[in-house]
Amino acid sequence: GMHIEGYHAGRVEFFPLGLSTALLCSFLGGAFLCGMLIDKNQVHFGGKSFYGIALVGNAALLIVAIVVPRHQLAACFAAAASGLQNAMCTSHFGAIVRTTHV
């Protein structure tokens, strides 16, 4: 049979594809959340900035990832925290285009 990237003739499992898609969407969701909280690629401590809320949200996502019993769901929460942290760091340094190493 054909053995390419885990595909075997007559047997196709979509669970790994679903998990990979969920991880990617979680990472992008975390980055999107940062874009909603920290606007204009500027970090303002105090006042109008929600940078502190983003930090607390990152910590909360990591704590939920520890507490959740299912490993797949915990991985999604950790991926969202990674996306949020990556976007916060990018916003902090003032990058115009967000590039990442997903």
Side-chain angles (χ1 to χ4, degrees):
M2 186 187 331
H3 298 311
I4 299 175
E5 298 294 325
Y7 175 81
H8 303 287
R11 183 175 168 199
V12 178
E13 295 182 16
F14 289 104
F15 181 75
L17 176 63
L19 180 59
S20 298
T21 303
L23 289 173
L24 180 62
C25 289
S26 296
F27 183 90
L28 294 175
F32 178 76
L33 181 63
C34 180
M36 297 293 289
L37 293 174
I38 303 172
D39 57 339
K40 299 181 183 176
N41 289 332
Q42 296 177 1
V43 177
H44 302 286
F45 293 101
K48 298 179 181 178
S49 176
F50 293 110
Y51 193 76
I53 293 173
L55 284 172
V56 171
N58 195 9
L61 285 170
L62 290 173
I63 290 170
V64 170
I66 292 170
V67 175
V68 171
R70 291 188 52 207
H71 295 299
Q72 295 87 2
L73 189 58
C76 288
F77 280 111
S82 297
L84 179 59
Q85 181 182 4
N86 189 336
M88 285 169 39
C89 183
T90 303
S91 297
H92 177 70
F93 290 116
I96 296 172
V97 177
R98 287 187 182 168
T99 59
T100 185
H101 43 275
V102 176

Coordinates of all heavy atoms in Angstrom, one line a residue:
G1 N 0.8 -1.2 0.0 CA 0.0 0.0 0.0 C 0.9 1.3 0.0 O 2.1 1.2 0.1
M2 N 0.2 2.4 -0.1 CA 0.9 3.6 -0.2 C 1.1 4.2 1.3 O 0.2 4.3 2.1 CB 0.0 4.6 -0.9 CG 0.8 5.9 -1.1 SD 0.0 7.3 -1.8 CE -1.2 6.9 -2.9
H3 N 2.3 4.5 1.6 CA 2.7 5.0 2.9 C 3.3 6.4 2.8 O 4.4 6.6 2.9 CB 3.7 4.1 3.6 CG 3.2 2.7 3.9 ND1 2.0 2.5 4.5 CD2 3.8 1.5 3.7 CE1 1.8 1.2 4.6 NE2 2.9 0.6 4.1
I4 N 2.4 7.4 2.6 CA 2.8 8.8 2.5 C 2.2 9.6 3.6 O 1.0 9.7 3.7 CB 2.4 9.4 1.1 CG1 3.1 8.6 0.0 CG2 2.8 10.8 1.0 CD1 2.7 9.0 -1.4
E5 N 3.0 10.2 4.4 CA 2.5 11.1 5.5 C 1.4 10.4 6.3 O 0.4 11.0 6.7 CB 2.0 12.4 4.9 CG 3.1 13.2 4.2 CD 4.1 13.7 5.2 OE1 3.8 14.0 6.3 OE2 5.3 13.8 4.8
G6 N 1.5 9.1 6.6 CA 0.6 8.4 7.5 C -0.7 7.9 6.8 O -1.6 7.4 7.4
Y7 N -0.7 8.1 5.5 CA -1.9 7.6 4.7 C -1.7 6.2 4.3 O -0.7 5.8 3.7 CB -2.1 8.5 3.5 CG -3.2 8.0 2.6 CD1 -4.5 8.2 2.9 CD2 -2.9 7.2 1.5 CE1 -5.6 7.8 2.1 CE2 -4.0 6.7 0.7 CZ -5.3 7.0 1.0 OH -6.3 6.5 0.2
H8 N -2.6 5.3 4.6 CA -2.6 3.9 4.2 C -3.8 3.6 3.4 O -4.9 4.1 3.7 CB -2.5 3.0 5.5 CG -1.4 3.3 6.4 ND1 -0.1 3.0 6.1 CD2 -1.3 3.9 7.6 CE1 0.7 3.4 7.1 NE2 0.0 3.9 8.0
A9 N -3.6 2.9 2.4 CA -4.7 2.6 1.4 C -5.9 2.1 2.2 O -5.8 1.1 2.9 CB -4.3 1.6 0.4
G10 N -7.1 2.7 2.0 CA -8.3 2.3 2.6 C -8.5 2.8 4.0 O -9.6 2.5 4.6
R11 N -7.6 3.4 4.6 CA -7.7 3.9 6.0 C -7.3 5.3 6.1 O -6.1 5.6 6.0 CB -6.9 3.0 6.9 CG -7.1 3.4 8.4 CD -6.4 2.4 9.2 NE -6.3 2.9 10.6 CZ -5.4 2.5 11.5 NH1 -4.6 1.5 11.2 NH2 -5.5 3.0 12.7
V12 N -8.2 6.2 6.4 CA -7.9 7.6 6.5 C -8.4 8.1 7.9 O -9.6 8.0 8.2 CB -8.5 8.5 5.4 CG1 -8.2 10.0 5.6 CG2 -8.0 8.0 4.0
E13 N -7.5 8.6 8.7 CA -7.9 9.2 10.0 C -7.8 10.7 9.9 O -6.8 11.2 9.6 CB -7.1 8.6 11.1 CG -7.2 7.1 11.3 CD -6.3 6.6 12.4 OE1 -5.9 7.4 13.2 OE2 -6.1 5.4 12.4
F14 N -8.9 11.3 10.3 CA -8.9 12.8 10.2 C -8.6 13.4 11.6 O -8.5 14.6 11.7 CB -10.3 13.3 9.7 CG -10.5 13.0 8.3 CD1 -11.3 11.9 7.9 CD2 -9.8 13.7 7.3 CE1 -11.5 11.7 6.5 CE2 -10.0 13.5 6.0 CZ -10.8 12.4 5.6
F15 N -8.4 12.7 12.6 CA -8.2 13.2 13.9 C -6.9 14.1 14.0 O -6.9 15.2 14.5 CB -8.2 12.1 15.0 CG -7.9 12.7 16.4 CD1 -8.9 13.4 17.1 CD2 -6.7 12.6 17.0 CE1 -8.7 13.9 18.3 CE2 -6.4 13.1 18.2 CZ -7.5 13.8 18.9
P16 N -5.8 13.6 13.4 CA -4.5 14.4 13.4 C -4.7 15.7 12.7 O -4.2 16.7 13.1 CB -3.5 13.5 12.8 CG -4.0 12.1 12.9 CD -5.5 12.2 12.9
L17 N -5.5 15.7 11.6 CA -5.7 16.9 10.8 C -6.6 17.9 11.6 O -6.3 19.1 11.6 CB -6.4 16.5 9.5 CG -6.8 17.7 8.6 CD1 -5.6 18.5 8.2 CD2 -7.6 17.3 7.4
G18 N -7.6 17.3 12.3 CA -8.4 18.2 13.1 C -7.7 18.8 14.3 O -7.9 20.0 14.6
L19 N -6.8 18.0 14.9 CA -6.0 18.6 16.0 C -5.0 19.6 15.5 O -4.9 20.7 16.1 CB -5.2 17.4 16.7 CG -4.4 17.8 17.9 CD1 -5.2 18.5 18.9 CD2 -3.6 16.6 18.4
S20 N -4.4 19.4 14.4 CA -3.5 20.4 13.8 C -4.2 21.7 13.5 O -3.7 22.8 13.7 CB -2.8 19.8 12.6 OG -2.0 18.7 12.9
T21 N -5.4 21.5 12.9 CA -6.2 22.7 12.5 C -6.6 23.5 13.8 O -6.6 24.7 13.8 CB -7.4 22.3 11.7 OG1 -7.0 21.6 10.5 CG2 -8.2 23.5 11.3
A22 N -7.0 22.7 14.8 CA -7.4 23.3 16.1 C -6.3 24.1 16.7 O -6.4 25.2 17.2 CB -8.0 22.3 17.0
L23 N -5.1 23.5 16.7 CA -3.9 24.2 17.2 C -3.6 25.5 16.5 O -3.3 26.5 17.1 CB -2.7 23.2 17.2 CG -2.7 22.1 18.2 CD1 -1.6 21.1 18.0 CD2 -2.7 22.6 19.7
L24 N -3.6 25.4 15.2 CA -3.3 26.6 14.4 C -4.4 27.7 14.6 O -4.0 28.8 14.8 CB -3.3 26.2 12.9 CG -3.0 27.3 11.9 CD1 -1.6 28.0 12.2 CD2 -3.1 26.9 10.5
C25 N -5.6 27.3 14.6 CA -6.7 28.3 14.9 C -6.6 28.9 16.3 O -6.9 30.0 16.5 CB -8.1 27.6 14.7 SG -8.4 27.3 13.0
S26 N -6.2 28.0 17.3 CA -6.0 28.6 18.6 C -4.9 29.6 18.7 O -5.0 30.6 19.3 CB -5.7 27.4 19.6 OG -6.8 26.5 19.7
F27 N -3.8 29.3 18.0 CA -2.6 30.2 18.0 C -3.1 31.5 17.3 O -2.8 32.6 17.9 CB -1.5 29.6 17.2 CG -0.2 30.4 17.2 CD1 0.7 30.3 18.2 CD2 0.0 31.4 16.2 CE1 1.9 31.1 18.1 CE2 1.1 32.2 16.1 CZ 2.0 32.0 17.1
L28 N -3.7 31.4 16.2 CA -4.2 32.6 15.5 C -5.2 33.4 16.3 O -5.3 34.6 16.3 CB -4.7 32.3 14.1 CG -3.7 31.7 13.1 CD1 -4.4 31.3 11.8 CD2 -2.6 32.8 12.9
G29 N -6.1 32.6 17.1 CA -7.1 33.3 17.9 C -6.4 34.1 19.1 O -6.9 35.2 19.4
G30 N -5.3 33.5 19.6 CA -4.6 34.3 20.6 C -4.0 35.5 20.1 O -4.0 36.6 20.7
A31 N -3.4 35.4 18.9 CA -2.8 36.6 18.2 C -3.9 37.7 17.9 O -3.7 38.9 18.1 CB -2.1 36.2 17.0
F32 N -5.1 37.2 17.5 CA -6.2 38.0 17.2 C -6.7 38.8 18.5 O -7.0 39.9 18.5 CB -7.4 37.2 16.6 CG -8.6 38.1 16.3 CD1 -8.6 38.9 15.2 CD2 -9.7 38.0 17.1 CE1 -9.7 39.6 14.9 CE2 -10.8 38.7 16.8 CZ -10.9 39.6 15.7
L33 N -6.7 38.0 19.6 CA -7.1 38.6 20.9 C -6.2 39.7 21.2 O -6.6 40.8 21.7 CB -7.1 37.5 21.9 CG -7.5 37.9 23.3 CD1 -8.9 38.4 23.4 CD2 -7.3 36.8 24.3
C34 N -4.9 39.6 21.0 CA -3.9 40.7 21.3 C -4.2 41.9 20.4 O -4.2 43.0 20.8 CB -2.5 40.2 21.1 SG -1.3 41.5 21.4
G35 N -4.6 41.6 19.1 CA -4.9 42.7 18.2 C -6.1 43.5 18.7 O -6.2 44.7 18.5
M36 N -7.0 42.8 19.4 CA -8.2 43.4 19.9 C -7.9 44.3 21.1 O -8.5 45.3 21.4 CB -9.3 42.4 20.2 CG -9.8 41.6 19.0 SD -10.7 42.6 17.8 CE -12.2 42.9 18.8
L37 N -7.0 43.8 21.9 CA -6.7 44.5 23.2 C -5.7 45.6 23.0 O -5.8 46.6 23.6 CB -6.2 43.4 24.2 CG -7.2 42.4 24.7 CD1 -6.5 41.4 25.6 CD2 -8.3 43.1 25.4
I38 N -4.6 45.3 22.2 CA -3.5 46.3 22.1 C -3.6 46.8 20.6 O -3.2 46.1 19.7 CB -2.2 45.7 22.4 CG1 -2.2 45.1 23.8 CG2 -1.1 46.7 22.2 CD1 -0.9 44.3 24.1
D39 N -4.0 48.0 20.5 CA -4.2 48.5 19.1 C -3.1 49.5 18.7 O -2.3 49.9 19.5 CB -5.5 49.3 19.0 CG -5.7 50.4 20.0 OD1 -5.0 50.3 21.0 OD2 -6.5 51.3 19.8
K40 N -2.9 49.7 17.5 CA -2.0 50.7 16.9 C -0.5 50.3 17.1 O 0.3 51.2 17.0 CB -2.3 52.1 17.4 CG -3.7 52.6 17.0 CD -3.9 54.0 17.5 CE -5.3 54.4 17.2 NZ -5.6 55.8 17.8
N41 N -0.2 49.1 17.3 CA 1.2 48.6 17.5 C 1.9 49.5 18.5 O 3.1 49.7 18.4 CB 1.9 48.6 16.2 CG 1.4 47.5 15.3 OD1 1.0 46.5 15.7 ND2 1.6 47.8 14.0
Q42 N 1.2 50.0 19.5 CA 1.9 50.8 20.5 C 1.5 50.2 21.9 O 0.4 49.8 22.1 CB 1.4 52.2 20.5 CG 1.9 52.9 19.2 CD 1.4 54.3 19.1 OE1 0.7 54.8 20.0 NE2 1.7 55.0 18.0
V43 N 2.5 50.3 22.8 CA 2.2 49.8 24.2 C 2.2 51.1 25.0 O 3.1 51.8 25.1 CB 3.3 48.9 24.6 CG1 3.1 48.5 26.1 CG2 3.4 47.7 23.7
H44 N 1.0 51.3 25.7 CA 0.9 52.4 26.6 C 0.6 51.8 28.0 O -0.5 51.2 28.1 CB -0.3 53.3 26.2 CG -0.1 53.9 24.8 ND1 0.8 54.9 24.6 CD2 -0.7 53.6 23.7 CE1 0.7 55.2 23.3 NE2 -0.2 54.4 22.7
F45 N 1.5 52.0 28.9 CA 1.2 51.4 30.2 C 0.3 52.4 31.0 O 0.6 53.6 31.1 CB 2.5 51.2 31.0 CG 3.4 50.1 30.4 CD1 4.4 50.5 29.6 CD2 3.1 48.8 30.6 CE1 5.2 49.5 29.0 CE2 3.8 47.8 30.0 CZ 4.9 48.2 29.2
G46 N -0.8 51.9 31.4 CA -1.8 52.7 32.1 C -2.7 53.4 31.0 O -2.5 53.3 29.8
G47 N -3.7 54.1 31.5 CA -4.6 54.8 30.6 C -5.4 53.9 29.7 O -6.1 53.0 30.2
K48 N -5.3 54.1 28.4 CA -6.1 53.4 27.4 C -5.6 52.0 27.1 O -6.3 51.2 26.4 CB -6.2 54.2 26.1 CG -6.9 55.5 26.3 CD -6.9 56.3 25.0 CE -7.5 57.6 25.1 NZ -7.5 58.4 23.9
S49 N -4.4 51.6 27.5 CA -3.8 50.4 27.2 C -4.4 49.2 27.9 O -4.8 49.3 29.1 CB -2.3 50.4 27.4 OG -1.8 49.1 27.1
F50 N -4.6 48.1 27.2 CA -5.0 46.8 27.9 C -3.9 45.8 27.9 O -4.1 44.6 27.9 CB -6.2 46.3 27.1 CG -7.5 47.1 27.3 CD1 -7.9 47.8 26.2 CD2 -8.1 47.3 28.5 CE1 -9.1 48.6 26.3 CE2 -9.2 48.0 28.6 CZ -9.7 48.7 27.5
Y51 N -2.7 46.3 27.9 CA -1.5 45.4 27.9 C -1.5 44.5 29.2 O -1.2 43.4 29.1 CB -0.2 46.3 27.8 CG 1.0 45.5 27.5 CD1 1.2 45.0 26.2 CD2 1.9 45.1 28.5 CE1 2.3 44.3 25.9 CE2 3.1 44.4 28.2 CZ 3.3 44.0 26.9 OH 4.4 43.2 26.6
G52 N -1.8 45.1 30.3 CA -1.9 44.3 31.5 C -3.0 43.3 31.5 O -2.8 42.1 32.0
I53 N -4.1 43.6 30.9 CA -5.2 42.6 30.7 C -4.7 41.5 29.8 O -5.0 40.3 30.0 CB -6.4 43.3 30.2 CG1 -7.0 44.2 31.2 CG2 -7.5 42.2 29.8 CD1 -8.2 45.0 30.8
A54 N -3.9 41.8 28.8 CA -3.4 40.8 27.9 C -2.4 39.9 28.6 O -2.4 38.6 28.4 CB -2.7 41.4 26.7
L55 N -1.6 40.4 29.5 CA -0.7 39.6 30.3 C -1.4 38.7 31.3 O -1.1 37.5 31.4 CB 0.3 40.5 31.1 CG 1.4 41.2 30.3 CD1 2.1 42.2 31.2 CD2 2.4 40.1 29.8
V56 N -2.5 39.2 31.9 CA -3.3 38.4 32.8 C -4.0 37.3 32.0 O -4.1 36.2 32.4 CB -4.3 39.3 33.6 CG1 -5.3 38.4 34.4 CG2 -3.5 40.2 34.5
G57 N -4.5 37.7 30.8 CA -5.2 36.7 29.9 C -4.2 35.6 29.5 O -4.6 34.4 29.5
N58 N -3.0 35.9 29.3 CA -2.0 34.9 28.9 C -1.7 34.0 30.1 O -1.7 32.8 29.9 CB -0.7 35.6 28.5 CG 0.3 34.7 27.8 OD1 0.0 33.6 27.5 ND2 1.5 35.2 27.6
A59 N -1.6 34.5 31.3 CA -1.4 33.7 32.5 C -2.6 32.8 32.7 O -2.5 31.6 33.0 CB -1.2 34.5 33.7
A60 N -3.8 33.3 32.5 CA -5.1 32.6 32.7 C -5.1 31.4 31.7 O -5.5 30.3 32.0 CB -6.3 33.5 32.5
L61 N -4.8 31.7 30.4 CA -4.8 30.6 29.4 C -3.8 29.5 29.8 O -4.1 28.3 29.6 CB -4.4 31.2 28.0 CG -5.5 32.0 27.3 CD1 -5.0 32.7 26.1 CD2 -6.7 31.1 26.9
L62 N -2.6 29.8 30.3 CA -1.7 28.8 30.7 C -2.1 28.0 31.9 O -1.9 26.8 32.0 CB -0.3 29.5 31.0 CG 0.4 30.0 29.7 CD1 1.7 30.8 30.1 CD2 0.8 28.9 28.8
I63 N -2.8 28.7 32.8 CA -3.3 28.0 34.0 C -4.4 27.0 33.6 O -4.5 25.9 34.0 CB -3.8 29.0 35.1 CG1 -2.6 29.7 35.7 CG2 -4.7 28.3 36.1 CD1 -3.0 30.9 36.6
V64 N -5.3 27.5 32.7 CA -6.4 26.6 32.2 C -5.8 25.4 31.4 O -6.2 24.3 31.6 CB -7.3 27.4 31.3 CG1 -8.3 26.5 30.5 CG2 -8.1 28.4 32.1
A65 N -4.7 25.6 30.7 CA -4.0 24.5 30.0 C -3.5 23.5 31.0 O -3.4 22.3 30.7 CB -2.9 25.1 29.1
I66 N -3.1 23.9 32.2 CA -2.6 23.0 33.2 C -3.7 22.2 33.8 O -3.6 21.0 34.0 CB -1.8 23.7 34.2 CG1 -0.5 24.3 33.6 CG2 -1.5 22.8 35.4 CD1 0.2 25.2 34.6
V67 N -4.8 22.9 34.0 CA -6.0 22.3 34.8 C -6.8 21.4 33.9 O -7.3 20.4 34.4 CB -6.8 23.4 35.4 CG1 -8.1 22.9 36.0 CG2 -6.0 24.2 36.4
V68 N -6.9 21.6 32.6 CA -7.8 20.9 31.7 C -7.3 19.4 31.6 O -6.1 19.2 31.4 CB -7.8 21.5 30.3 CG1 -8.6 20.6 29.3 CG2 -8.5 22.9 30.4
P69 N -8.2 18.5 31.8 CA -7.8 17.1 31.9 C -7.4 16.5 30.5 O -6.6 15.6 30.4 CB -8.9 16.3 32.5 CG -10.1 17.2 32.2 CD -9.6 18.6 32.2
R70 N -8.1 17.0 29.4 CA -7.8 16.4 28.1 C -6.6 17.1 27.5 O -6.4 18.3 27.4 CB -9.0 16.7 27.2 CG -10.2 15.8 27.6 CD -11.3 15.9 26.6 NE -10.8 15.6 25.3 CZ -11.4 16.1 24.2 NH1 -12.4 16.9 24.2 NH2 -10.9 15.8 23.0
H71 N -5.6 16.3 27.0 CA -4.4 16.8 26.5 C -4.6 17.6 25.2 O -3.9 18.6 25.0 CB -3.4 15.6 26.2 CG -3.0 14.9 27.4 ND1 -2.3 15.5 28.4 CD2 -3.2 13.6 27.8 CE1 -2.1 14.6 29.4 NE2 -2.6 13.4 29.0
Q72 N -5.5 17.2 24.3 CA -5.7 18.0 23.1 C -6.3 19.4 23.4 O -5.8 20.3 22.8 CB -6.7 17.2 22.2 CG -6.2 15.9 21.7 CD -6.5 14.8 22.6 OE1 -7.1 14.9 23.7 NE2 -6.0 13.6 22.3
L73 N -7.2 19.5 24.3 CA -7.8 20.8 24.7 C -6.7 21.6 25.4 O -6.6 22.8 25.2 CB -9.0 20.6 25.6 CG -9.9 21.8 25.8 CD1 -10.3 22.4 24.5 CD2 -11.0 21.4 26.7
A74 N -5.9 21.0 26.2 CA -4.9 21.7 26.9 C -3.9 22.3 25.9 O -3.4 23.4 26.1 CB -4.2 20.8 27.9
A75 N -3.6 21.5 24.9 CA -2.6 22.0 23.9 C -3.2 23.2 23.1 O -2.5 24.1 22.8 CB -2.3 20.9 22.9
C76 N -4.5 23.2 22.9 CA -5.2 24.3 22.3 C -5.1 25.6 23.1 O -4.8 26.7 22.6 CB -6.6 24.0 21.9 SG -6.8 22.8 20.6
F77 N -5.3 25.5 24.4 CA -5.2 26.6 25.3 C -3.7 27.1 25.4 O -3.4 28.3 25.4 CB -5.6 26.3 26.7 CG -7.1 26.3 26.9 CD1 -7.8 25.2 27.1 CD2 -7.8 27.5 26.8 CE1 -9.2 25.2 27.2 CE2 -9.2 27.6 27.0 CZ -9.9 26.4 27.2
A78 N -2.8 26.2 25.4 CA -1.3 26.6 25.4 C -1.0 27.3 24.0 O -0.2 28.2 24.0 CB -0.4 25.4 25.6
A79 N -1.5 26.8 22.9 CA -1.3 27.4 21.6 C -1.9 28.8 21.6 O -1.3 29.8 21.0 CB -1.9 26.6 20.5
A80 N -3.1 29.0 22.2 CA -3.7 30.4 22.2 C -2.8 31.3 23.1 O -2.6 32.5 22.7 CB -5.1 30.3 22.8
A81 N -2.3 30.8 24.2 CA -1.4 31.6 25.0 C -0.1 31.9 24.3 O 0.4 33.1 24.4 CB -1.0 30.8 26.3
S82 N 0.4 31.0 23.5 CA 1.6 31.3 22.7 C 1.3 32.3 21.6 O 2.2 33.2 21.4 CB 2.1 30.0 22.0 OG 2.5 29.1 23.0
G83 N 0.2 32.3 21.0 CA -0.2 33.3 20.0 C -0.3 34.6 20.6 O 0.1 35.6 20.0
L84 N -1.0 34.7 21.8 CA -1.1 35.9 22.5 C 0.2 36.5 22.9 O 0.5 37.7 22.7 CB -2.0 35.7 23.7 CG -2.3 36.9 24.6 CD1 -3.0 38.0 23.8 CD2 -3.2 36.5 25.8
Q85 N 1.1 35.7 23.4 CA 2.4 36.2 23.8 C 3.2 36.6 22.6 O 3.9 37.7 22.7 CB 3.1 35.1 24.6 CG 4.5 35.6 25.1 CD 5.3 34.5 25.8 OE1 4.8 33.4 25.9 NE2 6.4 34.8 26.3
N86 N 3.2 35.9 21.5 CA 3.9 36.3 20.3 C 3.4 37.6 19.8 O 4.3 38.5 19.5 CB 3.7 35.2 19.3 CG 4.6 35.4 18.1 OD1 5.1 36.5 17.8 ND2 4.9 34.3 17.4
A87 N 2.1 37.8 19.8 CA 1.6 39.1 19.3 C 1.9 40.2 20.2 O 2.2 41.3 19.8 CB 0.1 38.9 19.1
M88 N 1.9 39.9 21.5 CA 2.2 41.0 22.5 C 3.7 41.4 22.3 O 4.0 42.6 22.4 CB 2.0 40.5 23.9 CG 0.6 40.4 24.4 SD 0.3 39.5 25.9 CE 1.6 40.0 27.0
C89 N 4.6 40.5 22.1 CA 6.0 40.8 21.9 C 6.2 41.6 20.6 O 6.9 42.6 20.6 CB 6.8 39.5 21.9 SG 8.6 39.8 21.8
T90 N 5.5 41.2 19.6 CA 5.6 41.9 18.3 C 5.0 43.3 18.5 O 5.6 44.3 17.9 CB 4.8 41.1 17.2 OG1 5.3 39.8 17.2 CG2 4.9 41.8 15.9
S91 N 3.9 43.5 19.2 CA 3.4 44.8 19.4 C 4.3 45.7 20.3 O 4.5 46.9 20.0 CB 2.0 44.7 20.1 OG 1.1 44.1 19.3
H92 N 5.0 45.0 21.2 CA 5.8 45.8 22.1 C 7.0 46.4 21.4 O 7.5 47.5 21.7 CB 6.3 44.8 23.3 CG 7.3 45.5 24.2 ND1 6.9 46.5 25.1 CD2 8.6 45.3 24.4 CE1 8.0 46.9 25.8 NE2 9.0 46.2 25.3
F93 N 7.6 45.6 20.4 CA 8.7 46.1 19.7 C 8.4 46.9 18.5 O 9.2 47.3 17.7 CB 9.6 44.9 19.3 CG 10.3 44.3 20.5 CD1 10.1 43.0 20.8 CD2 11.2 45.0 21.2 CE1 10.7 42.4 21.9 CE2 11.9 44.5 22.3 CZ 11.6 43.2 22.7
G94 N 7.1 47.1 18.3 CA 6.6 48.0 17.2 C 6.7 47.5 15.8 O 6.8 48.3 14.9
A95 N 6.7 46.2 15.6 CA 6.8 45.7 14.2 C 5.5 46.0 13.5 O 4.4 45.9 14.1 CB 7.0 44.2 14.3
I96 N 5.6 46.4 12.3 CA 4.4 46.7 11.5 C 3.8 45.4 10.9 O 2.6 45.3 10.9 CB 4.8 47.6 10.3 CG1 5.3 49.0 10.9 CG2 3.7 47.9 9.4 CD1 5.9 49.9 9.9
V97 N 4.6 44.5 10.5 CA 4.1 43.2 9.9 C 4.4 42.1 10.9 O 5.6 42.0 11.4 CB 4.8 42.9 8.6 CG1 4.3 41.6 8.1 CG2 4.5 44.0 7.6
R98 N 3.4 41.4 11.3 CA 3.6 40.3 12.3 C 4.1 39.0 11.5 O 3.3 38.5 10.7 CB 2.3 40.0 13.0 CG 2.0 41.0 14.0 CD 0.8 40.6 14.8 NE 0.5 41.6 15.8 CZ -0.6 41.7 16.5 NH1 -1.5 40.7 16.3 NH2 -0.9 42.6 17.3
T99 N 5.3 38.7 11.7 CA 5.8 37.4 11.2 C 6.0 36.5 12.4 O 6.4 36.9 13.5 CB 7.1 37.6 10.4 OG1 8.1 38.2 11.3 CG2 6.9 38.5 9.2
T100 N 5.8 35.2 12.2 CA 6.0 34.3 13.3 C 6.5 33.0 12.8 O 6.6 32.7 11.6 CB 4.6 34.1 14.0 OG1 4.8 33.3 15.1 CG2 3.6 33.4 13.1
H101 N 6.9 32.2 13.7 CA 7.4 30.8 13.4 C 6.4 29.8 14.0 O 6.6 29.3 15.0 CB 8.8 30.6 13.9 CG 8.9 31.1 15.3 ND1 9.2 32.4 15.6 CD2 8.8 30.5 16.5 CE1 9.3 32.6 16.9 NE2 9.1 31.4 17.5
V102 N 5.3 29.7 13.3 CA 4.2 28.8 13.8 C 4.7 27.4 13.9 O 5.2 26.8 13.0 CB 3.0 28.9 12.9 CG1 1.9 27.9 13.3 CG2 2.4 30.3 12.9

